[in-house]
């Protein structure tokens, strides 16, 4: 069984988290946070292991590659893989690297410019 984990930065503000929680629910995915919120990636993968999940795909909900994507995210995914060698854990590229997301953002920017 495969489980998709949406991996967001995290925030103490529940309004910020609500959008990601809705996205995860609509996608049938599990949500994990890098910091400031729970559940953490470790907690989600521990739960997946207990449920017999054999593969986890981690989709970072980051728009660009920065400090977190170039260091923290990969390190945490690797550590989870070490703790659960029986689970294949795949780290996907950040959503902002997907050309469909870039195209949608560009359209929003163009629409904002046209309305001004």
């Amino acid at each position: 069984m495969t489980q998709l984990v949406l991996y967001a930065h995290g925030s103490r503000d529940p309004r910020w988290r609500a959008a990601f929680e809705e996205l995860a629910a609509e996608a049938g995915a599990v949500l994990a946070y890098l910091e400031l919120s729970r559940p953490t990636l470790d907690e989600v993968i521990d739960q997946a292991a207990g449920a017999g999940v054999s593969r986890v795909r981690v989709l970072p909900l980051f728009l660009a590659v920065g400090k977190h994507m170039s260091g923290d995210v990969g390190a945490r995914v690797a550590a989870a893989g070490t703790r659960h060698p029986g689970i294949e854990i795949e780290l996907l590229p950040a959503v902002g690297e997907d050309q469909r997301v870039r195209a949608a953002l560009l359209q929003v920017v163009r629409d904002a410019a046209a309305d001004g």
Side-chain angles (χ1 to χ4, degrees):
M1 173 181 12
T2 299
Q3 182 175 72
L4 176 62
V5 175
L6 304 183
Y7 199 27
H9 183 274
S11 173
R12 291 179 188 93
D13 189 333
R15 296 170 298 174
W16 181 93
R17 292 190 311 264
F20 293 98
E21 291 165 357
E22 289 170 15
L23 179 65
E26 289 176 21
V30 176
L31 182 61
Y33 296 105
L34 180 67
E35 59 188 21
L36 305 174
S37 302
R38 292 184 76 187
T40 65
L41 184 64
D42 284 343
E43 291 168 338
V44 166
I45 292 180
D46 288 349
Q47 199 170 48
V53 171
S54 58
R55 183 174 184 224
V56 173
R57 300 186 84 207
V58 179
L59 179 61
L61 299 178
F62 291 79
L63 289 179
V65 174
K67 177 183 175 286
H68 288 310
M69 277 304 301
S70 64
D72 301 329
V73 172
R76 291 184 187 188
V77 168
T82 299
R83 283 187 14 263
H84 295 286
I87 298 178
E88 176 190 347
I89 303 174
E90 178 185 7
L91 176 59
L92 301 168
V95 294
E97 294 180 23
D98 188 299
Q99 291 304 313
R100 294 168 294 179
V101 172
R102 293 165 84 83
L105 285 171
L106 180 58
Q107 188 60 54
V108 170
V109 170
R110 286 180 175 154
D111 290 349
D115 288 344

